[in-house]
Amino acid sequence: MPIDTRLKQFETTWVPRLNAPLQAAIDQDSGDPRLAEAMAYSVMAGGKRLRPLLTVATLQALNVPFDEERDWRPVMALELLHTYSLIHDDLPAMDNDDLRRGEPTNHVKFGAGMATLAGDGLLTLAFQWLTATDLPATTQAQLVQALAVAAGPGGMVAGQAKDVQSEHVDLPLAKLRVLHREKTGALLHYAVQAGLIIGQAPQAQWTPYLQFADAFGLAFQIYDDILDVVGTAAELGKATQKDAGEAKNTYPGKLGLAEANQALIDTIQTGRQALAALPAGEGCDLLASFFSYFDTKRVKA
């Protein structure tokens, strides 16, 4: 299933716009050249910029214009934090991966010590960028609070901890959903939440957006699990078939490929139904188009 034309046009417009200031901004805010190089290496290594794109798309759904001076750093803060999580996830003490997006992982390139520091630098710089803005102080505080909750010991880090502890342990599906909601879904939830906060949407209007975000986060994880089985290393830019080899809990492992794919289809439908509660328009259509990232025909019936 090809990516929706609307989404492709959105990416073509926004990915270069989001990327253009990145290298210079990281260099400017780093006090050591080698550290800045290691930080920038992983941030600039590619990727769809999915999380900041979700934030920008949410702003568009709210009809709130993107102000480059005011919004760029707060929007891209999540990409810094996401990249820190990938660097640490790849470390020898965690997943011990050698490839990320088809390139050597940070610790392979710079050593485990510098890679750890690069992750630390990106994590803390993310919060600096949330407040390096003319957004109102209350908005800044909301963003900091929300990202800390999403990324910290009640969110992504909790999910990572569960993941480490659950290897070679047969988790019930309900507990696997909790693990993935924290490990993967929390930052995608925040990506949409950040748009609602920056756009100053009344909280009474948040629910459908966040239901969409949570469905998207679950679909993302299910699809990632499926691709680990049916994808290739060349296609994904990283090793495949690792989850089964490491006895990790996955949706295909629990349900089989066909049922995991059906769970993906059902989850996408849940997300589309959430968006149907919002006023019709280009903005909501754009958010719905993000589901076209997931090719539900990869698994043959």
Side-chain angles (χ1 to χ4, degrees):
M1 182 177 66
I3 291 178
D4 186 285
T5 303
R6 184 185 295 101
L7 180 59
K8 182 57 73 177
Q9 292 172 342
F10 180 67
E11 288 179 324
T12 301
T13 300
W14 279 95
V15 171
R17 187 172 173 182
L18 294 171
N19 280 342
L22 258 176
Q23 179 79 56
I26 291 170
D27 290 345
Q28 175 186 330
D29 288 332
S30 302
D32 180 87
R34 185 64 170 170
L35 175 63
E37 183 185 358
M39 291 164 63
Y41 173 78
S42 291
V43 175
M44 304 302 296
K48 295 186 286 289
R49 304 301 183 214
L50 174 60
R51 290 153 188 83
L53 287 175
L54 276 169
T55 305
V56 174
T58 302
L59 288 170
Q60 291 197 3
L62 295 169
N63 293 313
V64 174
F66 184 90
D67 183 320
E68 207 86 33
E69 266 316 293
R70 183 195 67 187
D71 298 336
W72 182 81
R73 274 185 169 82
V75 166
M76 291 305 290
L78 177 55
E79 192 69 8
L80 300 186
L81 193 141
H82 170 60
T83 305
Y84 123 76
S85 75
L86 300 181
I87 293 173
H88 282 197
D89 201 36
D90 289 336
L91 285 168
M94 299 287 283
D95 286 352
N96 195 26
D97 281 320
D98 293 333
L99 283 178
R100 170 71 67 177
R101 294 167 180 159
E103 299 293 335
T105 49
N106 201 289
H107 70 270
V108 171
K109 177 85 170 175
F110 295 94
M114 186 58 75
T116 302
L117 293 172
D120 293 343
L122 290 169
L123 168 61
T124 47
L125 185 58
F127 287 96
Q128 179 180 323
W129 280 14
L130 288 180
T131 57
T133 172
D134 290 332
L135 286 168
T138 52
T139 301
Q140 295 179 36
Q142 282 182 285
L143 289 169
V144 168
Q145 169 73 10
L147 185 55
V149 169
M156 181 186 69
V157 174
Q160 290 282 21
K162 289 182 175 70
D163 196 35
V164 167
Q165 295 173 84
S166 66
E167 287 185 17
H168 304 283
V169 175
D170 186 16
L171 283 184
L173 189 59
K175 288 191 175 181
L176 181 61
R177 288 196 183 100
V178 172
L179 186 160
H180 285 156
R181 185 173 66 243
E182 294 170 343
K183 180 183 175 184
T184 303
L187 291 192
L188 292 165
H189 179 101
Y190 170 82
V192 173
Q193 185 181 10
L196 297 170
I197 292 170
I198 293 170
Q200 299 186 340
Q203 287 203 17
Q205 298 176 8
W206 285 21
T207 297
Y209 290 100
L210 296 181
Q211 288 174 338
F212 154 75
D214 291 339
F216 185 85
L218 178 56
F220 186 95
Q221 183 61 61
I222 296 172
Y223 192 57
D224 191 61
D225 286 354
I226 290 171
L227 287 181
D228 188 68
V229 178
V230 303
T232 65
E235 174 190 6
L236 303 180
K238 61 181 181 179
T240 59
Q241 308 287 334
K242 284 197 70 181
D243 291 339
E246 295 171 357
K248 288 198 171 186
N249 290 274
T250 67
Y251 284 87
K254 290 286 178 194
L255 304 174
L257 266 177
E259 284 300 315
N261 198 59
Q262 187 59 51
L264 173 62
I265 292 168
D266 294 344
T267 302
I268 291 170
Q269 182 61 23
T270 297
R272 291 186 181 279
Q273 287 172 348
L275 290 175
L278 296 170
E282 283 297 313
C284 289
D285 290 345
L286 175 60
L287 286 173
S289 74
F290 276 75
F291 285 119
S292 70
Y293 280 129
F294 313 128
D295 183 358
T296 58
K297 299 190 184 304
R298 287 298 296 265
V299 176
K300 305 304 180 187

Short mmCIF file of all heavy atoms in Angstrom, two decimals, residues 22 26 38-47 49 51 76-90 100-101 106 115 118-120 122-123 126 156 187:
data_model
loop_
_atom_site.label_atom_id
_atom_site.label_comp_id
_atom_site.label_asym_id
_atom_site.label_seq_id
_atom_site.Cartn_x
_atom_site.Cartn_y
_atom_site.Cartn_z
N LEU A 22 19.00 21.94 11.99
CA LEU A 22 19.36 20.99 13.05
C LEU A 22 20.85 20.98 13.38
O LEU A 22 21.25 21.11 14.54
CB LEU A 22 18.91 19.59 12.66
CG LEU A 22 17.63 19.06 13.31
CD1 LEU A 22 17.28 17.69 12.73
CD2 LEU A 22 17.73 18.99 14.81
N ILE A 26 22.45 22.16 17.01
CA ILE A 26 23.14 21.24 17.92
C ILE A 26 24.55 21.74 18.20
O ILE A 26 25.01 21.74 19.35
CB ILE A 26 23.14 19.81 17.34
CG1 ILE A 26 21.72 19.24 17.35
CG2 ILE A 26 24.07 18.90 18.14
CD1 ILE A 26 21.57 17.95 16.57
N ALA A 38 29.03 13.51 17.86
CA ALA A 38 28.33 12.26 18.19
C ALA A 38 26.83 12.49 18.29
O ALA A 38 26.03 11.65 17.84
CB ALA A 38 28.87 11.69 19.49
N MET A 39 26.41 13.60 18.89
CA MET A 39 24.99 13.90 18.98
C MET A 39 24.38 14.07 17.60
O MET A 39 23.34 13.49 17.27
CB MET A 39 24.78 15.16 19.83
CG MET A 39 25.10 14.98 21.30
SD MET A 39 25.29 16.57 22.20
CE MET A 39 23.65 17.28 22.03
N ALA A 40 25.05 14.90 16.78
CA ALA A 40 24.51 15.19 15.45
C ALA A 40 24.53 13.95 14.56
O ALA A 40 23.66 13.80 13.69
CB ALA A 40 25.30 16.32 14.81
N TYR A 41 25.50 13.07 14.75
CA TYR A 41 25.62 11.87 13.92
C TYR A 41 24.32 11.08 13.92
O TYR A 41 23.82 10.68 12.86
CB TYR A 41 26.76 11.00 14.44
CG TYR A 41 26.87 9.65 13.76
CD1 TYR A 41 27.44 9.54 12.49
CD2 TYR A 41 26.41 8.49 14.38
CE1 TYR A 41 27.55 8.29 11.86
CE2 TYR A 41 26.51 7.26 13.75
CZ TYR A 41 27.08 7.16 12.50
OH TYR A 41 27.17 5.94 11.88
N SER A 42 23.75 10.87 15.08
CA SER A 42 22.52 10.07 15.16
C SER A 42 21.29 10.88 14.79
O SER A 42 20.35 10.35 14.17
CB SER A 42 22.37 9.46 16.56
OG SER A 42 23.35 8.47 16.78
N VAL A 43 21.26 12.15 15.16
CA VAL A 43 20.09 12.97 14.83
C VAL A 43 19.98 13.15 13.31
O VAL A 43 18.88 13.13 12.75
CB VAL A 43 20.17 14.35 15.52
CG1 VAL A 43 19.02 15.24 15.07
CG2 VAL A 43 20.12 14.19 17.03
N MET A 44 21.14 13.29 12.64
CA MET A 44 21.15 13.57 11.21
C MET A 44 21.23 12.30 10.36
O MET A 44 21.41 12.38 9.15
CB MET A 44 22.33 14.49 10.86
CG MET A 44 22.38 15.79 11.65
SD MET A 44 20.89 16.81 11.47
CE MET A 44 20.95 17.22 9.72
N ALA A 45 21.10 11.13 10.99
CA ALA A 45 21.28 9.86 10.27
C ALA A 45 20.07 9.45 9.45
O ALA A 45 20.02 8.32 8.95
CB ALA A 45 21.64 8.75 11.27
N GLY A 46 19.12 10.31 9.30
CA GLY A 46 17.93 9.97 8.51
C GLY A 46 16.72 9.83 9.40
O GLY A 46 16.63 10.43 10.46
N GLY A 47 15.77 9.04 8.97
CA GLY A 47 14.53 8.91 9.72
C GLY A 47 13.46 9.79 9.12
O GLY A 47 13.74 10.81 8.47
N ARG A 49 11.29 11.67 10.63
CA ARG A 49 10.84 12.80 11.46
C ARG A 49 9.36 12.66 11.79
O ARG A 49 8.61 13.64 11.83
CB ARG A 49 11.12 14.16 10.78
CG ARG A 49 12.56 14.40 10.39
CD ARG A 49 13.52 14.35 11.56
NE ARG A 49 14.88 14.66 11.16
CZ ARG A 49 15.97 14.12 11.70
NH1 ARG A 49 15.85 13.21 12.66
NH2 ARG A 49 17.16 14.45 11.29
N ARG A 51 7.68 11.97 14.50
CA ARG A 51 7.12 12.60 15.70
C ARG A 51 6.93 14.10 15.54
O ARG A 51 5.82 14.60 15.81
CB ARG A 51 7.99 12.22 16.91
CG ARG A 51 7.83 10.75 17.27
CD ARG A 51 9.04 10.14 17.95
NE ARG A 51 8.88 8.69 18.08
CZ ARG A 51 9.15 7.83 17.09
NH1 ARG A 51 9.62 8.27 15.93
NH2 ARG A 51 8.98 6.53 17.26
N MET A 76 11.01 20.26 17.66
CA MET A 76 12.12 19.33 17.40
C MET A 76 12.72 18.76 18.68
O MET A 76 13.52 17.81 18.61
CB MET A 76 13.20 20.04 16.58
CG MET A 76 12.76 20.33 15.15
SD MET A 76 12.19 18.85 14.24
CE MET A 76 13.73 17.97 14.05
N ALA A 77 12.36 19.28 19.82
CA ALA A 77 12.85 18.72 21.08
C ALA A 77 12.53 17.24 21.18
O ALA A 77 13.35 16.44 21.66
CB ALA A 77 12.24 19.47 22.27
N LEU A 78 11.36 16.84 20.72
CA LEU A 78 10.97 15.43 20.80
C LEU A 78 11.88 14.56 19.93
O LEU A 78 12.20 13.43 20.29
CB LEU A 78 9.51 15.26 20.38
CG LEU A 78 8.97 13.83 20.34
CD1 LEU A 78 9.17 13.13 21.67
CD2 LEU A 78 7.49 13.84 19.96
N GLU A 79 12.33 15.09 18.80
CA GLU A 79 13.23 14.31 17.94
C GLU A 79 14.57 14.09 18.63
O GLU A 79 15.17 13.01 18.51
CB GLU A 79 13.42 15.02 16.59
CG GLU A 79 14.08 14.17 15.54
CD GLU A 79 13.21 13.01 15.04
OE1 GLU A 79 12.02 12.93 15.39
OE2 GLU A 79 13.75 12.18 14.27
N LEU A 80 15.05 15.09 19.37
CA LEU A 80 16.28 14.92 20.15
C LEU A 80 16.09 13.81 21.18
O LEU A 80 16.95 12.93 21.33
CB LEU A 80 16.67 16.21 20.85
CG LEU A 80 16.95 17.45 20.00
CD1 LEU A 80 17.47 18.58 20.89
CD2 LEU A 80 17.93 17.15 18.87
N LEU A 81 14.97 13.87 21.88
CA LEU A 81 14.74 12.89 22.94
C LEU A 81 14.56 11.48 22.35
O LEU A 81 15.10 10.50 22.88
CB LEU A 81 13.54 13.29 23.78
CG LEU A 81 13.41 12.50 25.08
CD1 LEU A 81 12.94 13.40 26.22
CD2 LEU A 81 12.47 11.32 24.92
N HIS A 82 13.84 11.39 21.26
CA HIS A 82 13.66 10.09 20.60
C HIS A 82 15.02 9.52 20.17
O HIS A 82 15.28 8.33 20.36
CB HIS A 82 12.74 10.26 19.39
CG HIS A 82 12.67 9.08 18.49
ND1 HIS A 82 12.24 7.84 18.91
CD2 HIS A 82 13.00 8.94 17.16
CE1 HIS A 82 12.29 6.99 17.89
NE2 HIS A 82 12.75 7.62 16.84
N THR A 83 15.88 10.38 19.63
CA THR A 83 17.20 9.92 19.18
C THR A 83 18.04 9.44 20.35
O THR A 83 18.76 8.43 20.24
CB THR A 83 17.91 11.02 18.39
OG1 THR A 83 17.09 11.46 17.32
CG2 THR A 83 19.23 10.52 17.83
N TYR A 84 17.98 10.16 21.48
CA TYR A 84 18.69 9.69 22.68
C TYR A 84 18.25 8.26 23.03
O TYR A 84 19.07 7.40 23.34
CB TYR A 84 18.46 10.63 23.86
CG TYR A 84 17.87 10.00 25.10
CD1 TYR A 84 18.64 9.22 25.96
CD2 TYR A 84 16.51 10.17 25.41
CE1 TYR A 84 18.08 8.61 27.08
CE2 TYR A 84 15.95 9.58 26.52
CZ TYR A 84 16.74 8.80 27.36
OH TYR A 84 16.18 8.19 28.46
N SER A 85 16.95 8.01 22.94
CA SER A 85 16.44 6.68 23.32
C SER A 85 16.97 5.61 22.38
O SER A 85 17.24 4.48 22.80
CB SER A 85 14.91 6.68 23.36
OG SER A 85 14.35 6.66 22.06
N LEU A 86 17.12 5.94 21.09
CA LEU A 86 17.65 4.98 20.13
C LEU A 86 19.12 4.68 20.41
O LEU A 86 19.56 3.53 20.34
CB LEU A 86 17.47 5.50 18.70
CG LEU A 86 16.05 5.78 18.23
CD1 LEU A 86 16.06 6.27 16.79
CD2 LEU A 86 15.16 4.55 18.38
N ILE A 87 19.89 5.74 20.70
CA ILE A 87 21.32 5.55 20.99
C ILE A 87 21.49 4.62 22.19
O ILE A 87 22.29 3.67 22.15
CB ILE A 87 22.01 6.90 21.26
CG1 ILE A 87 22.04 7.75 20.00
CG2 ILE A 87 23.44 6.68 21.77
CD1 ILE A 87 22.55 9.18 20.22
N HIS A 88 20.76 4.89 23.25
CA HIS A 88 20.88 4.07 24.46
C HIS A 88 20.33 2.66 24.23
O HIS A 88 20.87 1.68 24.74
CB HIS A 88 20.18 4.75 25.63
CG HIS A 88 20.99 5.87 26.23
ND1 HIS A 88 20.73 6.39 27.47
CD2 HIS A 88 22.06 6.55 25.76
CE1 HIS A 88 21.60 7.36 27.74
NE2 HIS A 88 22.41 7.47 26.71
N ASP A 89 19.27 2.56 23.43
CA ASP A 89 18.69 1.24 23.14
C ASP A 89 19.67 0.36 22.38
O ASP A 89 19.67 -0.87 22.53
CB ASP A 89 17.40 1.43 22.33
CG ASP A 89 16.48 0.23 22.40
OD1 ASP A 89 16.40 -0.41 23.47
OD2 ASP A 89 15.82 -0.08 21.39
N ASP A 90 20.52 0.97 21.55
CA ASP A 90 21.47 0.20 20.73
C ASP A 90 22.72 -0.22 21.50
O ASP A 90 23.50 -1.03 20.99
CB ASP A 90 21.91 1.05 19.52
CG ASP A 90 20.81 1.23 18.49
OD1 ASP A 90 19.89 0.39 18.44
OD2 ASP A 90 20.89 2.21 17.73
N ARG A 100 21.87 1.02 12.54
CA ARG A 100 20.66 1.82 12.75
C ARG A 100 20.48 2.66 11.49
O ARG A 100 21.35 3.42 11.13
CB ARG A 100 20.81 2.70 13.99
CG ARG A 100 19.72 3.75 14.20
CD ARG A 100 18.39 3.17 14.62
NE ARG A 100 18.42 2.58 15.94
CZ ARG A 100 17.33 2.07 16.53
NH1 ARG A 100 16.16 2.05 15.88
NH2 ARG A 100 17.42 1.52 17.73
N ARG A 101 19.34 2.49 10.81
CA ARG A 101 19.07 3.20 9.56
C ARG A 101 20.16 2.96 8.53
O ARG A 101 20.55 3.86 7.78
CB ARG A 101 18.88 4.70 9.82
CG ARG A 101 17.63 4.99 10.66
CD ARG A 101 17.57 6.40 11.18
NE ARG A 101 16.36 6.62 11.96
CZ ARG A 101 16.23 7.60 12.86
NH1 ARG A 101 17.23 8.42 13.10
NH2 ARG A 101 15.10 7.73 13.52
N ASN A 106 25.72 4.46 17.06
CA ASN A 106 26.56 5.49 17.67
C ASN A 106 27.73 4.89 18.43
O ASN A 106 28.87 5.37 18.33
CB ASN A 106 25.70 6.38 18.57
CG ASN A 106 26.33 7.73 18.82
OD1 ASN A 106 27.33 7.84 19.53
ND2 ASN A 106 25.75 8.77 18.25
N ALA A 115 28.96 7.46 23.16
CA ALA A 115 27.56 7.26 22.75
C ALA A 115 26.62 7.50 23.93
O ALA A 115 25.56 8.12 23.77
CB ALA A 115 27.36 5.85 22.20
N ALA A 118 26.44 11.17 24.34
CA ALA A 118 25.64 11.77 23.26
C ALA A 118 24.16 11.64 23.58
O ALA A 118 23.38 12.59 23.39
CB ALA A 118 25.98 11.12 21.93
N GLY A 119 23.75 10.46 24.05
CA GLY A 119 22.36 10.28 24.46
C GLY A 119 21.99 11.20 25.61
O GLY A 119 20.93 11.84 25.60
N ASP A 120 22.87 11.28 26.62
CA ASP A 120 22.62 12.17 27.75
C ASP A 120 22.47 13.61 27.29
O ASP A 120 21.60 14.35 27.76
CB ASP A 120 23.78 12.08 28.76
CG ASP A 120 23.88 10.72 29.44
OD1 ASP A 120 22.90 9.95 29.39
OD2 ASP A 120 24.95 10.44 30.02
N LEU A 122 21.55 14.74 24.30
CA LEU A 122 20.30 14.96 23.56
C LEU A 122 19.10 14.98 24.48
O LEU A 122 18.16 15.77 24.28
CB LEU A 122 20.14 13.86 22.50
CG LEU A 122 21.12 13.93 21.33
CD1 LEU A 122 21.05 12.67 20.49
CD2 LEU A 122 20.85 15.16 20.46
N LEU A 123 19.10 14.13 25.50
CA LEU A 123 17.99 14.11 26.46
C LEU A 123 17.85 15.46 27.15
O LEU A 123 16.75 16.02 27.22
CB LEU A 123 18.24 13.00 27.49
CG LEU A 123 17.36 13.01 28.74
CD1 LEU A 123 15.90 12.84 28.39
CD2 LEU A 123 17.81 11.92 29.71
N ALA A 126 16.90 18.41 24.84
CA ALA A 126 15.48 18.42 24.49
C ALA A 126 14.70 19.33 25.43
O ALA A 126 13.87 20.14 24.98
CB ALA A 126 14.91 16.99 24.54
N MET A 156 8.18 6.00 28.70
CA MET A 156 9.10 5.23 27.86
C MET A 156 10.11 4.42 28.67
O MET A 156 10.37 3.25 28.37
CB MET A 156 9.84 6.17 26.91
CG MET A 156 10.79 5.47 25.98
SD MET A 156 11.77 6.63 25.01
CE MET A 156 12.82 7.36 26.29
N LEU A 187 5.72 8.36 23.51
CA LEU A 187 6.28 9.50 22.77
C LEU A 187 5.40 9.88 21.58
O LEU A 187 5.34 11.07 21.21
CB LEU A 187 7.70 9.19 22.29
CG LEU A 187 8.79 9.08 23.36
CD1 LEU A 187 10.17 9.05 22.71
CD2 LEU A 187 8.71 10.19 24.40
#
